[in-house]
PDB file of all heavy atoms in Angstrom:
ATOM      1  N   GLU W1071      -5.780  48.714  37.028  1.00  0.00           N
ATOM      2  CA  GLU W1071      -6.983  48.540  37.844  1.00  0.00           C
ATOM      3  C   GLU W1071      -6.694  47.701  39.079  1.00  0.00           C
ATOM      4  O   GLU W1071      -7.251  47.930  40.151  1.00  0.00           O
ATOM      5  CB  GLU W1071      -8.093  47.893  37.008  1.00  0.00           C
ATOM      6  CG  GLU W1071      -9.459  48.247  37.522  1.00  0.00           C
ATOM      7  CD  GLU W1071     -10.524  47.279  37.080  1.00  0.00           C
ATOM      8  OE1 GLU W1071     -10.317  46.040  37.215  1.00  0.00           O
ATOM      9  OE2 GLU W1071     -11.567  47.726  36.616  1.00  0.00           O
ATOM     10  N   GLN W1072      -5.809  46.726  38.903  1.00  0.00           N
ATOM     11  CA  GLN W1072      -5.401  45.881  40.021  1.00  0.00           C
ATOM     12  C   GLN W1072      -4.780  46.714  41.147  1.00  0.00           C
ATOM     13  O   GLN W1072      -5.085  46.509  42.329  1.00  0.00           O
ATOM     14  CB  GLN W1072      -4.390  44.837  39.530  1.00  0.00           C
ATOM     15  CG  GLN W1072      -4.232  43.642  40.452  1.00  0.00           C
ATOM     16  CD  GLN W1072      -5.451  42.725  40.391  1.00  0.00           C
ATOM     17  OE1 GLN W1072      -6.236  42.789  39.437  1.00  0.00           O
ATOM     18  NE2 GLN W1072      -5.634  41.890  41.406  1.00  0.00           N
ATOM     19  N   SER W1073      -3.948  47.658  40.768  1.00  0.00           N
ATOM     20  CA  SER W1073      -3.324  48.539  41.770  1.00  0.00           C
ATOM     21  C   SER W1073      -4.370  49.305  42.561  1.00  0.00           C
ATOM     22  O   SER W1073      -4.311  49.390  43.791  1.00  0.00           O
ATOM     23  CB  SER W1073      -2.403  49.554  41.091  1.00  0.00           C
ATOM     24  OG  SER W1073      -1.516  48.928  40.223  1.00  0.00           O
ATOM     25  N   ILE W1074      -5.332  49.882  41.845  1.00  0.00           N
ATOM     26  CA  ILE W1074      -6.381  50.668  42.509  1.00  0.00           C
ATOM     27  C   ILE W1074      -7.237  49.754  43.391  1.00  0.00           C
ATOM     28  O   ILE W1074      -7.556  50.090  44.534  1.00  0.00           O
ATOM     29  CB  ILE W1074      -7.280  51.370  41.470  1.00  0.00           C
ATOM     30  CG1 ILE W1074      -6.466  52.198  40.492  1.00  0.00           C
ATOM     31  CG2 ILE W1074      -8.317  52.233  42.180  1.00  0.00           C
ATOM     32  CD1 ILE W1074      -5.903  53.450  41.050  1.00  0.00           C
ATOM     33  N   THR W1075      -7.594  48.589  42.846  1.00  0.00           N
ATOM     34  CA  THR W1075      -8.451  47.674  43.605  1.00  0.00           C
ATOM     35  C   THR W1075      -7.769  47.219  44.886  1.00  0.00           C
ATOM     36  O   THR W1075      -8.421  47.098  45.934  1.00  0.00           O
ATOM     37  CB  THR W1075      -8.818  46.445  42.751  1.00  0.00           C
ATOM     38  OG1 THR W1075      -9.438  46.897  41.543  1.00  0.00           O
ATOM     39  CG2 THR W1075      -9.792  45.537  43.491  1.00  0.00           C
ATOM     40  N   SER W1076      -6.470  47.000  44.816  1.00  0.00           N
ATOM     41  CA  SER W1076      -5.767  46.548  46.020  1.00  0.00           C
ATOM     42  C   SER W1076      -5.797  47.628  47.100  1.00  0.00           C
ATOM     43  O   SER W1076      -5.924  47.335  48.293  1.00  0.00           O
ATOM     44  CB  SER W1076      -4.341  46.133  45.670  1.00  0.00           C
ATOM     45  OG  SER W1076      -3.394  47.027  46.191  1.00  0.00           O
ATOM     46  N   ILE W1077      -5.716  48.899  46.684  1.00  0.00           N
ATOM     47  CA  ILE W1077      -5.846  50.002  47.653  1.00  0.00           C
ATOM     48  C   ILE W1077      -7.255  50.029  48.238  1.00  0.00           C
ATOM     49  O   ILE W1077      -7.443  50.175  49.452  1.00  0.00           O
ATOM     50  CB  ILE W1077      -5.520  51.358  46.975  1.00  0.00           C
ATOM     51  CG1 ILE W1077      -4.074  51.387  46.474  1.00  0.00           C
ATOM     52  CG2 ILE W1077      -5.772  52.509  47.940  1.00  0.00           C
ATOM     53  CD1 ILE W1077      -3.693  52.638  45.704  1.00  0.00           C
ATOM     54  N   LEU W1078      -8.251  49.838  47.360  1.00  0.00           N
ATOM     55  CA  LEU W1078      -9.647  49.849  47.829  1.00  0.00           C
ATOM     56  C   LEU W1078      -9.918  48.722  48.824  1.00  0.00           C
ATOM     57  O   LEU W1078     -10.596  48.914  49.832  1.00  0.00           O
ATOM     58  CB  LEU W1078     -10.600  49.735  46.635  1.00  0.00           C
ATOM     59  CG  LEU W1078     -10.743  50.990  45.772  1.00  0.00           C
ATOM     60  CD1 LEU W1078     -11.473  50.688  44.475  1.00  0.00           C
ATOM     61  CD2 LEU W1078     -11.482  52.084  46.546  1.00  0.00           C
ATOM     62  N   PHE W1079      -9.369  47.546  48.539  1.00  0.00           N
ATOM     63  CA  PHE W1079      -9.562  46.405  49.445  1.00  0.00           C
ATOM     64  C   PHE W1079      -8.957  46.696  50.824  1.00  0.00           C
ATOM     65  O   PHE W1079      -9.558  46.385  51.856  1.00  0.00           O
ATOM     66  CB  PHE W1079      -8.959  45.129  48.848  1.00  0.00           C
ATOM     67  CG  PHE W1079      -9.839  44.468  47.824  1.00  0.00           C
ATOM     68  CD1 PHE W1079     -10.981  45.100  47.337  1.00  0.00           C
ATOM     69  CD2 PHE W1079      -9.534  43.196  47.344  1.00  0.00           C
ATOM     70  CE1 PHE W1079     -11.804  44.486  46.386  1.00  0.00           C
ATOM     71  CE2 PHE W1079     -10.353  42.575  46.402  1.00  0.00           C
ATOM     72  CZ  PHE W1079     -11.475  43.227  45.920  1.00  0.00           C
ATOM     73  N   ASP W1080      -7.788  47.296  50.824  1.00  0.00           N
ATOM     74  CA  ASP W1080      -7.156  47.670  52.100  1.00  0.00           C
ATOM     75  C   ASP W1080      -8.041  48.629  52.892  1.00  0.00           C
ATOM     76  O   ASP W1080      -8.235  48.468  54.101  1.00  0.00           O
ATOM     77  CB  ASP W1080      -5.790  48.325  51.855  1.00  0.00           C
ATOM     78  CG  ASP W1080      -4.746  47.315  51.383  1.00  0.00           C
ATOM     79  OD1 ASP W1080      -5.022  46.097  51.455  1.00  0.00           O
ATOM     80  OD2 ASP W1080      -3.661  47.753  50.950  1.00  0.00           O
ATOM     81  N   ILE W1081      -8.570  49.619  52.179  1.00  0.00           N
ATOM     82  CA  ILE W1081      -9.443  50.592  52.853  1.00  0.00           C
ATOM     83  C   ILE W1081     -10.681  49.893  53.410  1.00  0.00           C
ATOM     84  O   ILE W1081     -11.116  50.153  54.534  1.00  0.00           O
ATOM     85  CB  ILE W1081      -9.859  51.715  51.871  1.00  0.00           C
ATOM     86  CG1 ILE W1081      -8.662  52.581  51.493  1.00  0.00           C
ATOM     87  CG2 ILE W1081     -10.961  52.581  52.493  1.00  0.00           C
ATOM     88  CD1 ILE W1081      -8.933  53.597  50.393  1.00  0.00           C
ATOM     89  N   TYR W1082     -11.226  48.959  52.647  1.00  0.00           N
ATOM     90  CA  TYR W1082     -12.435  48.254  53.104  1.00  0.00           C
ATOM     91  C   TYR W1082     -12.154  47.425  54.346  1.00  0.00           C
ATOM     92  O   TYR W1082     -12.944  47.426  55.301  1.00  0.00           O
ATOM     93  CB  TYR W1082     -12.987  47.366  51.985  1.00  0.00           C
ATOM     94  CG  TYR W1082     -14.337  46.790  52.348  1.00  0.00           C
ATOM     95  CD1 TYR W1082     -15.508  47.493  52.076  1.00  0.00           C
ATOM     96  CD2 TYR W1082     -14.447  45.550  52.977  1.00  0.00           C
ATOM     97  CE1 TYR W1082     -16.747  46.985  52.421  1.00  0.00           C
ATOM     98  CE2 TYR W1082     -15.676  45.031  53.329  1.00  0.00           C
ATOM     99  CZ  TYR W1082     -16.826  45.751  53.042  1.00  0.00           C
ATOM    100  OH  TYR W1082     -18.051  45.247  53.397  1.00  0.00           O
ATOM    101  N   GLU W1083     -11.018  46.733  54.342  1.00  0.00           N
ATOM    102  CA  GLU W1083     -10.656  45.910  55.505  1.00  0.00           C
ATOM    103  C   GLU W1083     -10.540  46.779  56.760  1.00  0.00           C
ATOM    104  O   GLU W1083     -11.109  46.471  57.812  1.00  0.00           O
ATOM    105  CB  GLU W1083      -9.324  45.183  55.264  1.00  0.00           C
ATOM    106  CG  GLU W1083      -9.331  44.169  54.120  1.00  0.00           C
ATOM    107  CD  GLU W1083     -10.253  42.979  54.385  1.00  0.00           C
ATOM    108  OE1 GLU W1083     -10.652  42.768  55.548  1.00  0.00           O
ATOM    109  OE2 GLU W1083     -10.587  42.273  53.416  1.00  0.00           O
ATOM    110  N   ASP W1084      -9.823  47.889  56.620  1.00  0.00           N
ATOM    111  CA  ASP W1084      -9.639  48.796  57.766  1.00  0.00           C
ATOM    112  C   ASP W1084     -10.981  49.357  58.238  1.00  0.00           C
ATOM    113  O   ASP W1084     -11.249  49.436  59.440  1.00  0.00           O
ATOM    114  CB  ASP W1084      -8.709  49.962  57.380  1.00  0.00           C
ATOM    115  CG  ASP W1084      -7.290  49.487  57.110  1.00  0.00           C
ATOM    116  OD1 ASP W1084      -6.960  48.354  57.504  1.00  0.00           O
ATOM    117  OD2 ASP W1084      -6.513  50.262  56.501  1.00  0.00           O
ATOM    118  N   GLY W1085     -11.808  49.750  57.259  1.00  0.00           N
ATOM    119  CA  GLY W1085     -13.096  50.344  57.596  1.00  0.00           C
ATOM    120  C   GLY W1085     -14.052  49.361  58.247  1.00  0.00           C
ATOM    121  O   GLY W1085     -14.839  49.726  59.129  1.00  0.00           O
ATOM    122  N   SER W1086     -13.998  48.120  57.827  1.00  0.00           N
ATOM    123  CA  SER W1086     -14.883  47.094  58.390  1.00  0.00           C
ATOM    124  C   SER W1086     -14.613  46.896  59.877  1.00  0.00           C
ATOM    125  O   SER W1086     -15.537  46.733  60.677  1.00  0.00           O
ATOM    126  CB  SER W1086     -14.701  45.763  57.660  1.00  0.00           C
ATOM    127  OG  SER W1086     -15.274  45.838  56.377  1.00  0.00           O
ATOM    128  N   LYS W1087     -13.338  46.935  60.228  1.00  0.00           N
ATOM    129  CA  LYS W1087     -12.974  46.774  61.641  1.00  0.00           C
ATOM    130  C   LYS W1087     -13.577  47.905  62.482  1.00  0.00           C
ATOM    131  O   LYS W1087     -13.910  47.721  63.647  1.00  0.00           O
ATOM    132  CB  LYS W1087     -11.442  46.777  61.793  1.00  0.00           C
ATOM    133  CG  LYS W1087     -10.797  45.497  61.279  1.00  0.00           C
ATOM    134  CD  LYS W1087      -9.271  45.612  61.267  1.00  0.00           C
ATOM    135  CE  LYS W1087      -8.666  44.493  60.429  1.00  0.00           C
ATOM    136  NZ  LYS W1087      -7.276  44.799  60.023  1.00  0.00           N
TER     137      LYS W1087
END
Side-chain angles (χ1 to χ4, degrees):
Chain W
E1071 206 201 49
Q1072 199 73 19
S1073 309
I1074 306 287
T1075 304
S1076 110
I1077 298 176
L1078 286 168
F1079 280 10
D1080 288 349
I1081 292 172
Y1082 189 87
E1083 296 295 344
D1084 293 344
S1086 287
K1087 287 172 195 161

